[in-house]
Amino acid sequence: MRVGSMFAGIGGICLGFKLAGAEIVWANEIDRYACQTYRYVLGSGFLIEGDIKKINIGNIPDMDVLTAGFPCQPFSIMGKQQGFADPRGTLYYEILRVIDEKQPQIVFLENVKNLVEHDNGRTFYTICATLADRGYIVKHSILGAHTHGNIPQYRDRIFIVAFLDPKKANMFNFPHSLPLTKSINDLINRDIQVSDSYYYNSTHQYYEQLNNKMTNNFAIYRIDDSGVAIRAWDLCPALKANMGTYTDRVPLIRDAFGIRKLTPADCLALQGFPKKYRFPNIPIKEIYKQLGNTVCVPIILRIAKELRKIPL
């Protein structure tokens, strides 16, 4: 199975397909820091850095599957929900441009759950209709990290898988739900002291409030827009890209040494990345942004395994 990837980010979707035995033949990403991370882990031979609008798609290699975790901010309930009116929303049409040129047998798309309801369903209808107009049979499902990936994070996403061949579409089923057997403390070791830079000390403006509220050593906390941690989460709240913009948006825990943010290694674990996955020497704000923008790898792996069952 030959896979091409648009809006590849740090390679979460590519990694899931690679772990399922697929070959990544081409990937594209515009963010230079994300490209550094992608190359650091997955290699540089097939990654093209740059604006997809400026890439000659005639030079893209043939592929069986085109994947795209296209920008979700225009459709997220956390944003302005401008959809296709947002320049990032129109990047969906770049996916169609590649589809028209390369005619992949399978198209795999990932986005926020709210894509289904955005603009009273018209956005999602447009996506499905434009794929159907090109002869694709469209299937979709909302899968959660904690319900389908055995990862203790609240992270529901819409997955769209479209097939040119109706027989292949009939052979495909989305993965069924799984019991959640992993807890936060299975992924985060609170008995190991991390770098001082992740801890909140007594001089921090929120320290006293946090110290009073953060009493559960099995939970994760988060500072919200009001500036205080108001809830103890039994599962990690969805990791967001704004962790890179607002450092206090990184979820918090109390460990054996104090109150601290989740480290990048913690966040990678809560996205289901293998332990060996690490970041290159890039700014920490970029690392947190990347962690919020990436995908839950075990879900991608499970879908990719289902696709691998289908003869190409």
Side-chain angles (χ1 to χ4, degrees):
M1 178 179 284
R2 292 163 55 85
V3 175
S5 179
M6 301 178 67
F7 316 109
I10 63 173
I13 291 177
C14 292
L15 179 60
F17 273 87
K18 185 175 180 179
L19 292 173
E23 178 189 4
I24 312 302
V25 297
W26 175 81
N28 170 242
E29 171 57 44
I30 191 172
D31 185 279
R32 65 187 181 100
Y33 289 113
C35 287
Q36 287 182 44
T37 301
Y38 189 108
R39 294 188 187 102
Y40 189 73
V41 177
L42 292 174
S44 60
F46 43 79
L47 177 66
I48 304 300
E49 180 177 342
D51 186 345
I52 185 61
K53 295 178 182 178
K54 299 178 181 178
I55 289 177
N56 182 350
I57 58 176
N59 294 333
I60 298 174
D62 292 336
M63 64 190 74
D64 303 304
V65 182
L66 175 65
T67 74
F70 59 109
C72 64
Q73 291 87 349
F75 312 107
S76 172
I77 60 174
M78 302 304 296
K80 296 180 180 179
Q81 298 193 56
Q82 292 181 305
F84 292 136
D86 186 315
R88 294 169 297 181
T90 60
L91 289 172
Y92 170 71
Y93 293 102
E94 294 302 311
I95 299 173
L96 297 180
R97 189 166 70 97
V98 175
I99 289 173
D100 290 340
E101 174 71 21
K102 305 311 300 183
Q103 293 288 298
Q105 286 293 309
I106 301 169
V107 175
F108 172 99
L109 306 178
E110 179 267 353
N111 211 286
V112 292
K113 173 183 174 181
N114 191 59
L115 181 70
V116 178
E117 300 177 1
H118 180 265
D119 196 15
N120 294 316
R122 286 187 283 269
T123 298
F124 188 66
Y125 172 80
T126 297
I127 290 172
C128 293
T130 51
L131 290 171
D133 288 345
R134 288 161 171 77
Y136 286 87
I137 309 299
V138 180
K139 291 189 168 187
H140 60 87
S141 185
I142 294 174
L143 308 180
H146 68 295
T147 55
H148 294 79
N150 195 22
I151 294 294
Q153 181 192 169
Y154 290 110
R155 193 179 192 86
D156 293 336
R157 291 293 185 267
I158 178 72
F159 294 91
I160 302 169
V161 184
F163 300 82
L164 274 181
D165 187 337
K167 293 181 179 179
K168 293 177 181 177
N170 289 334
M171 296 174 66
F172 173 76
N173 293 296
F174 281 98
H176 55 75
S177 60
L178 293 171
L180 180 62
T181 62
K182 295 178 182 177
S183 70
I184 292 168
N185 285 354
D186 287 326
L187 301 182
I188 299 174
N189 189 337
R190 300 186 194 229
D191 295 323
I192 296 178
Q193 188 170 11
V194 300
S195 169
D196 289 344
S197 63
Y198 297 108
Y199 287 93
Y200 282 60
N201 60 43
S202 59
T203 63
H204 193 281
Q205 61 176 324
Y206 297 135
Y207 180 80
E208 185 174 349
Q209 297 176 68
L210 294 173
N211 192 42
N212 291 333
K213 289 178 177 290
M214 293 180 62
T215 59
N216 188 331
N217 290 344
F218 295 92
I220 283 183
Y221 292 79
R222 183 170 65 181
I223 295 174
D224 61 22
D225 291 338
S226 66
V228 294
I230 59 174
R231 175 180 172 184
W233 298 71
D234 57 341
L235 305 181
C236 183
L239 300 175
K240 300 175 182 178
N242 69 0
M243 295 189 303
T245 306
Y246 309 101
T247 58
D248 285 329
R249 293 302 187 266
V250 181
L252 307 166
I253 62 168
R254 182 185 287 277
D255 68 12
F257 308 92
I259 294 169
R260 69 168 176 86
K261 303 172 187 176
L262 297 185
T263 66
D266 295 332
C267 294
L268 284 171
L270 287 164
Q271 293 285 34
F273 279 73
K275 289 185 177 181
K276 65 180 181 180
Y277 200 100
R278 289 293 181 268
F279 288 94
N281 184 23
I282 59 175
I284 188 65
K285 67 177 184 178
E286 296 295 335
I287 290 175
Y288 278 123
K289 174 185 172 182
Q290 293 170 12
L291 286 163
N293 273 332
T294 194
V295 295
C296 178
V297 174
I299 294 180
I300 307 299
L301 173 58
R302 293 189 70 202
I303 296 175
K305 284 182 175 180
E306 292 299 317
L307 291 174
R308 288 271 292 163
K309 296 176 182 178
I310 300 172
L312 295 175

